[in-house]
Amino acid sequence: MIAELGHYALVLALVLAVAQATVPLLGLRSGDPALLGVAKPAALVQFAFVTLSFAALTACYVQSDFSVLNVAENSHSTMPLIYKVTSVWGNHEGSMLLWVLILALFGALLALLGRNVPAALHAAVLSMQAIIAIAFYLFILLTSNPFARLAQAPVEGRDLNPLLQDIGLAIHPPLLYVGYVGFSVSFSFAAAALLTGRIDAAWARWVRPWTLIAWIFLTLGISMGSYWAYYELGWGGWWFWDPVENASLMPWLAGTALLHSALVMEKREALKVWTILLAILTFSLSLIGTFLVRSGVLTSVHSFATDPARGVFILMILVLFIGGSLTLFAWRAPMLRQGGLFAPVSREGSLVFNNLFLTTACATVFVGTLYPLALEALTGAKISVGAPFFNMTFGPLMVPLLIAVPFGPLLAWKRGDLLGVAQRLLTALAAAVLAMAVTFALQGRPVLAPLGIGLAVFVIVGAAIDIVERIGLFRLPVAIAWRRAVGLPRSAWGTAVAHAGLGVMLLGVVGESQWNIERITAMKTGDVATVGRYEIVFDGLDQRQGSNYRELLVRFTVREGGVPIATLTPSKRAFTSREMSTTEAALMRHGVGQLYVSLGDLEPDGRVAVRAYDKPLVLLIWIGTLVMSVGGGLSLSDRRLRVGAPRPSKARLAAQPAE
């Protein structure tokens, strides 16, 4: 009964989405306020029904109702409760239900928080959101029904994919989906603006908070997914340029460009056409990522769908939304009025420079990811585009962008003084040169490491100089500087923190890629392996029974200078229901680095294959992304960055002369 209730609620959500999509557009055409007003209650009730549907599927998992096909294929009665819940989105059907739940949530938030948006534009945005929802409701109901029943329920389920039975996968997909789906709001605002002709600084002000929310969550989602792959897959890497990873990186790059472009539009009413196009492309890339992961064209732990019908349906969605929005853009964009002019050397110019390199980097990842798939589809030939291609193309594009990052916030709007800004950044340059010299003196090789460390320090110190200049530190009395710091807009703090986080992440990338020490060996009890300055001693084997798996643990003692400092217990888990095994790495933190130990196969002579790494600075990769997200949160909390244009105060309204 619970499954049927969830299915029925999803059908009702589809009906409401149809009403939300069509009635406000009729009101927009006729100018009828009553028809426009349908959008808000429809969005709220639609969210209620999708929430009910998702809650019903969750209840089926928690109760281990194996008469539901989706539950029988992706759960097990002995799984811990947390993994029964995460199993809801650990499969194709459930993950798509999570997608529409988040989409409906954004629609409801738009309905509640868009009171300052003009009624026509507000209704048009909600209508666009509903059109997206209709496509995905139909996709779920016609090809991916999560509530399908089995004629005869099995006694036990098949279990969740063991790789997904991890706390990281409880967090990673929801964060990632909020990022993906959050960009639908920017897309809907762009399409609605093209329909209504309302594209100005206020429009950019309404779009930026939603874009920032999506960017923050996508950053956190990518970061969490990277850390999960790092410790769960046992390979010791944090980024593999896998097509599924690239599918999330592309909208992140485009979304970062959109944030900066919308800032120019808000401040100077410039880059209107480009900002609208970026809003369309960013969500389009999110849809392409969905197609890559859910269509079955890729083989990955994330790829749940293998039915060609699903791939064709998602491809039709891509054609509808990407093709339709770009057609609308081509029709309406020439009618847009040009905004304010600015000199090439200005803050606007620096943000255009930022956009140029971000979009070029995004295009590089796009081509490298999709070219092999297109070539195979057209000719049958299979080629592999891997890390060497992306490192040689993406990396060089990031260098000039990172050099320019500290300059942008210090340049004035409309016309800037590049020489004056360069003089203010001399301290950052000196710190970078000092860091390069120290790195070279300590390490000697490779040459890229000192350059990378120097660039990271330049970005971090440059971000600090931006704040120092704004508050007048070292130029004004400390009390005045403190008051200016307290009164500084949070968006300024957010920009500096986010840029500093980028530098921190770069420190981690350089440290992990240039100074990583790897040792692969086969060990038995009593053997000792040296990894960097550490010795790991094989103490013995243990076995234990988990809730739904058997686990082989190996005990290692870690010594530094002959002195024991830690005990590590990496393991291999065997899941009998799925006939699969997973590797659980053991990690020991030292500063912002880690000693990483994982297990391979057990050999016939009793030895165990051991893979050990010493990874200096590796934690800075994820610390940096967290700092970037905190910077985004600070900007979002700025009272000036509210959803919608600020309302005039009652005093100002009273002072206005009557017409």
Side-chain angles (χ1 to χ4, degrees):
M1 182 63 185
I2 293 178
E4 285 70 28
L5 178 64
H7 185 263
Y8 185 57
L10 199 60
V11 173
L12 289 177
L14 170 63
V15 173
L16 282 165
V18 171
Q20 182 183 333
T22 55
V23 175
L25 289 181
L26 294 174
L28 193 65
R29 185 179 181 86
S30 64
D32 188 339
L35 296 180
L36 293 176
V38 168
K40 180 177 177 179
L44 295 173
V45 180
Q46 182 195 151
F47 172 63
F49 279 122
V50 179
T51 303
L52 178 61
S53 181
F54 190 83
L57 184 60
T58 304
C60 291
Y61 270 94
V62 171
Q63 296 173 5
S64 294
D65 183 357
F66 298 127
S67 68
V68 177
L69 175 62
N70 188 262
V71 179
E73 290 186 340
N74 300 284
S75 188
H76 194 279
S77 61
T78 61
M79 282 200 312
L81 179 61
I82 179 65
Y83 297 137
K84 288 184 179 181
V85 174
T86 60
S87 294
V88 176
W89 56 80
N91 60 86
H92 169 74
E93 293 82 3
S95 68
M96 296 313 300
L97 187 59
L98 176 64
W99 176 283
V100 296
L101 173 67
I102 296 172
L103 184 66
L105 171 62
F106 272 103
L109 291 175
L110 271 169
L112 291 173
L113 302 177
R115 61 186 182 277
N116 292 329
V117 181
L121 180 62
H122 191 208
V125 171
L126 289 173
S127 180
M128 293 300 108
Q129 285 288 108
I131 291 172
I132 298 170
I134 290 170
F136 282 95
Y137 288 143
L138 289 173
F139 174 69
I140 294 172
L141 292 169
L142 298 179
T143 72
S144 307
N145 181 12
F147 300 103
R149 289 280 192 182
L150 288 169
Q152 185 173 355
V155 176
E156 191 55 83
R158 287 189 61 217
D159 208 352
L160 178 65
N161 184 332
L163 289 174
L164 305 182
Q165 294 188 38
D166 182 84
I167 191 63
L169 265 293
I171 304 170
H172 163 58
L175 291 175
L176 201 66
Y177 276 17
V178 172
Y180 274 162
V181 180
F183 286 125
S184 68
V185 179
S186 307
F187 173 88
S188 296
F189 263 102
L194 289 170
L195 286 174
T196 63
R198 176 65 187 265
I199 305 175
D200 52 18
W203 179 91
R205 192 181 186 88
W206 294 318
V207 168
R208 270 220 303 151
W210 299 104
T211 305
L212 192 52
I213 290 171
W215 181 87
I216 291 169
F217 277 93
L218 187 57
T219 302
L220 292 172
I222 294 173
S223 177
M224 185 69 251
S226 168
Y227 192 65
W228 167 81
Y230 165 76
Y231 72 76
E232 179 66 21
L233 300 183
W235 300 339
W238 62 277
W239 192 263
F240 303 97
W241 291 109
D242 178 89
V244 174
E245 293 176 322
N246 295 347
S248 60
L249 179 61
M250 289 186 289
W252 186 89
L253 292 168
T256 305
L258 173 60
L259 275 176
H260 292 86
S261 180
L263 178 62
V264 176
M265 186 172 168
E266 180 186 341
K267 298 295 185 181
R268 300 281 302 139
E269 288 206 36
L271 304 183
K272 290 183 179 180
V273 174
W274 178 240
T275 304
I276 293 289
L277 180 60
L278 274 177
I280 292 171
L281 292 179
T282 300
F283 183 60
S284 297
L285 289 169
S286 295
L287 291 177
I288 289 172
T290 302
F291 171 73
L292 289 176
V293 177
R294 298 290 176 258
S295 64
V297 299
L298 298 177
T299 301
S300 164
V301 67
H302 304 75
S303 302
F304 306 120
T306 55
D307 181 0
R310 292 170 173 173
V312 171
F313 202 112
I314 294 180
L315 190 59
M316 292 170 59
I317 293 175
L318 285 179
V319 171
L320 172 65
F321 287 108
I322 299 177
S325 60
L326 290 178
T327 300
L328 178 63
F329 175 80
W331 173 43
R332 299 285 291 178
M335 305 176 188
L336 299 181
R337 182 176 58 85
Q338 293 299 317
L341 300 176
F342 54 87
V345 178
S346 61
R347 189 175 300 187
E348 298 96 322
S350 71
L351 293 172
V352 171
F353 182 88
N354 160 292
N355 270 224
L356 173 65
F357 279 89
L358 283 172
T359 51
T360 304
C362 183
T364 299
V365 177
F366 181 86
V367 171
T369 303
L370 293 185
Y371 175 71
L373 301 176
L375 184 66
E376 182 179 356
L378 294 174
T379 67
K382 292 188 177 183
I383 65 169
S384 176
V385 176
F389 167 81
F390 292 108
N391 291 338
M392 292 296 293
T393 54
F394 186 85
L397 287 170
M398 290 295 101
V399 172
L401 177 62
L402 289 168
I403 293 173
V405 162
F407 283 85
L410 293 171
L411 287 168
W413 292 102
K414 196 171 182 179
R415 184 180 299 277
D417 180 6
L418 185 60
L419 180 60
V421 171
Q423 290 173 341
R424 283 183 279 173
L425 287 173
L426 284 177
T427 302
L429 179 61
V433 172
L434 179 61
M436 291 169 61
V438 171
T439 304
F440 189 81
L442 293 176
Q443 301 295 327
R445 62 176 183 84
V447 177
L448 287 178
L451 293 175
I453 295 295
L455 182 56
V457 170
F458 180 70
V459 172
I460 295 170
V461 178
I465 288 174
D466 176 33
I467 297 298
V468 168
E469 289 287 329
R470 287 174 180 269
I471 66 176
L473 189 64
F474 309 126
R475 292 188 291 105
L476 299 173
V478 174
I480 296 177
W482 172 255
R483 286 198 297 271
R484 294 182 67 170
V486 172
L488 195 64
R490 290 179 188 171
S491 59
W493 284 104
T495 298
V497 170
H499 287 176
L502 185 62
V504 171
M505 188 184 75
L506 180 58
L507 285 175
V509 171
V510 173
E512 196 280 336
S513 61
Q514 299 297 319
W515 299 318
N516 177 54
I517 298 173
E518 179 181 8
R519 176 74 185 274
I520 302 174
T521 185
M523 302 178 69
K524 61 181 184 299
T525 303
D527 286 351
V528 179
T530 301
V531 186
R533 68 178 188 268
Y534 301 104
E535 293 178 334
I536 57 173
V537 183
F538 195 117
D539 292 330
L541 298 169
D542 292 314
Q543 291 199 14
R544 73 181 184 93
Q545 179 65 45
S547 56
N548 58 331
Y549 59 85
R550 288 191 61 81
E551 187 171 29
L552 173 68
L553 299 98
V554 177
R555 288 175 283 106
F556 291 97
T557 296
V558 181
R559 299 191 307 213
E560 183 177 11
V563 178
I565 59 172
T567 299
L568 297 179
T569 55
S571 67
K572 290 188 73 70
R573 293 177 178 176
F575 293 78
T576 54
S577 296
R578 283 270 182 172
E579 297 183 349
M580 290 178 61
S581 62
T582 63
T583 298
E584 303 296 319
L587 307 172
M588 184 196 80
R589 184 178 65 84
H590 53 88
V592 290
Q594 283 185 330
L595 180 67
Y596 180 112
V597 181
S598 65
L599 304 179
D601 294 329
L602 181 64
E603 299 183 359
D605 62 0
R607 295 188 302 169
V608 179
V610 177
R611 187 186 295 266
Y613 304 89
D614 183 23
K615 295 178 170 292
L617 308 184
V618 68
L619 292 177
L620 291 180
I621 295 172
W622 300 291
I623 292 172
T625 57
L626 290 175
V627 172
M628 291 166 64
S629 300
V630 169
L634 284 172
S635 294
L636 189 64
S637 68
D638 193 322
R639 63 182 183 276
R640 302 176 306 165
L641 196 61
R642 294 195 297 268
V643 178
R647 289 179 171 178
S649 65
K650 293 181 179 180
R652 286 176 55 195
L653 288 173
Q656 291 178 356
E659 294 184 0

